[in-house]
Amino acid sequence: MVDADQTFVIVGGGLAGAKAAETLRAEGFTGRVILICDERDHPYERPPLSKGYLLGSAERDSVFVHEPAWYAQHDVELHLGATVAAIDRAARTVRFGEDGTTVRYDKLLLATGAEPRRLDIPGTDLVGVHHLRRLAHSERLKGVLTSLGRDNGHLVIAGAGWIGLEIAAAARHYGAEVTVVHRGPAPLHSVLGPELGQLFAELHREHGVRFHFGASLTEITGQDGMVLAARTDDGEEHPAHAVLAAIGAAPRTALAEAAGLELADPASGGGVLVDERLRTSDPDIYAAGDVASFPHALFSTRLRVEHWANALNGGPAAGRAMLGRDEIYDRVPYFFTDQYDLGMEYSGWAPPGSYDQVVIRGDAGKREFIAFWVREGRVLAGMNVNVWDVTDPIQALIRSREAVDTEALADPHVRLESLVA
């Protein structure tokens, strides 16, 4: 029975945590809601950090989930710049890291997110080495890109995933010279496969980005604390005034692990193990967002999804689960990107080896098309590039689990809605 005497604690002040708090109040919970954020900024959304805000087309205030006054207005106790040092599951308390005080909880949500993977090479202590995860990182990087563009400076990016490519586009927007070093044979190779990965390579080459594939950084050299060059394991050296590490992110599971909660296998993405209702191995503790590894019946596997939509939807789902609502979390994974004049949305899950065909609808040469990853006629994922208002039918095709006529799937004159059983 949920009532005014209960206390719900949320650890993690990102989008998932803020939306969970919002949902608790919207669903009528009248007890204490405590939201603990280790940053001094109010909870914000992360996509603008590598998109609009970094490009200068969005104002700083636009990134925040709620207006600052919202938290007091909805009686959410917001602790900014605060950390949780430990969870005592037996006593059902969390201990703050700053002063050692404890707070008892009835339900606890872990929305601790992920952190950038670091380059483990000489030279990462130089001033010009950067990561992107937090608002402060984006603010600093915006200044760096502006300076590089003004002075014809060089940026070397380690990694050609979504973050690396978005920052490459932003750097070219400011006029910086850009080299991307990537171990794979093409950008996004493990996500999109070779053909569509090459499409993104061509897009960036048209805008002046240089790629160095099949290599990894081995050293960043500098002088007087400043970056001068980046060396790769095949003996190449690239001039650099700044280096960005964009080699992925790791779930922040240390708090959960110390509390003895079950964790997912790192080989499958890691994270805190949760059930289909986002409950951890402790029935009073939940996890959502980047840190949660949840079973997805549609894809018959566990997923840990780091994209914006998972935080947007997972936080509210966890909030409702904490209130005892019988709701299964089975959203189709979704993300989007904007690079130069290319806008893209991707729905589904189709890792290498899971599909036997990629079906193209539209004109890939003009970058106006939809790609479908298909196995035995079943759509596993779909990516629309500069084609809009098709996410719902794409997700309906994925959810249907039914085989479709691939010729009709490729025909732009056949309405996608007509293919859903």
Side-chain angles (χ1 to χ4, degrees), residues 138-222:
S138 184
E139 291 173 335
R140 185 161 54 247
L141 192 58
K142 185 190 296 188
V144 169
L145 298 184
T146 300
S147 177
L148 291 177
R150 183 182 61 243
D151 300 332
N152 296 316
H154 288 74
L155 171 69
V156 170
I157 300 174
W162 298 115
I163 294 295
L165 294 184
E166 288 181 356
I167 294 173
R172 292 301 296 146
H173 166 79
Y174 285 103
E177 298 295 323
V178 180
T179 299
V180 177
V181 177
H182 185 58
R183 169 55 64 188
L188 308 163
H189 185 267
S190 63
V191 179
L192 303 181
E195 298 87 355
L196 293 172
Q198 285 298 337
L199 178 144
F200 279 88
E202 292 164 7
L203 169 70
H204 281 269
R205 287 190 179 111
E206 288 174 9
H207 287 83
V209 173
R210 293 179 291 274
F211 286 100
H212 187 171
F213 292 121
S216 298
L217 294 188
T218 56
E219 183 182 7
I220 302 168
T221 61

Side-chain angles (χ1 to χ4, degrees), residues 241-416:
H241 301 96
V243 173
L244 176 87
I247 55 174
R252 298 178 67 189
T253 58
L255 189 62
E257 184 175 10
L261 298 176
E262 290 187 30
L263 304 182
D265 184 350
S268 61
V272 179
L273 208 68
V274 297
D275 66 13
E276 64 276 8
R277 291 171 177 80
L278 302 180
R279 293 175 300 201
T280 70
S281 53
D282 184 317
D284 293 320
I285 303 178
Y286 297 75
D290 294 2
V291 77
S293 171
F294 62 97
H296 204 301
L298 187 63
F299 302 106
S300 301
T301 191
R302 282 193 164 273
L303 298 180
R304 189 181 68 80
V305 181
E306 296 177 357
H307 299 297
W308 164 84
N310 184 49
L312 179 72
N313 298 312
R320 288 188 288 271
M322 295 165 76
L323 293 170
R325 309 287 193 265
D326 188 21
E327 176 182 323
I328 292 175
Y329 184 64
D330 63 352
R331 290 273 186 161
V332 173
Y334 166 90
F335 64 89
F336 68 98
T337 189
D338 298 303
Q339 298 170 35
Y340 311 110
D341 58 354
L342 182 147
M344 183 278 283
E345 298 173 295
Y346 181 104
S347 296
W349 186 75
S354 67
Y355 56 91
D356 54 35
Q357 185 180 6
V358 178
V359 176
I360 303 294
R361 164 186 286 238
D363 192 333
K366 292 182 178 179
R367 301 187 186 120
E368 295 180 2
F369 68 97
I370 307 173
F372 298 93
W373 285 260
V374 177
R375 183 178 183 87
E376 297 177 351
R378 290 178 50 224
V379 176
L380 304 179
M383 179 180 76
N384 48 299
V385 176
N386 290 337
V387 176
W388 306 111
D389 301 321
V390 291
T391 296
D392 287 346
I394 289 173
Q395 294 201 2
L397 282 168
I398 295 168
R399 284 196 172 279
S400 75
R401 302 190 184 188
E402 298 293 331
V404 299
D405 181 342
T406 54
E407 290 187 5
L409 190 63
D411 187 346
H413 299 99
V414 178
R415 293 179 68 250
L416 289 176

Side-chain angles (χ1 to χ4, degrees), residues 29-79:
F29 179 61
T30 58
R32 289 182 74 189
V33 176
I34 300 173
L35 179 58
I36 303 169
C37 178
D38 66 0
E39 297 186 58
R40 296 199 175 277
D41 289 302
H42 284 73
Y44 57 85
E45 302 191 33
R46 299 194 189 277
L49 306 190
S50 60
K51 297 181 176 71
Y53 180 63
L54 183 61
L55 288 166
S57 61
E59 296 297 325
R60 190 178 192 275
D61 287 351
S62 69
V63 309
F64 296 108
V65 183
H66 302 109
E67 294 286 338
W70 181 92
Y71 298 92
Q73 291 169 355
H74 291 82
D75 199 19
V76 173
E77 301 174 37
L78 180 61
H79 295 260

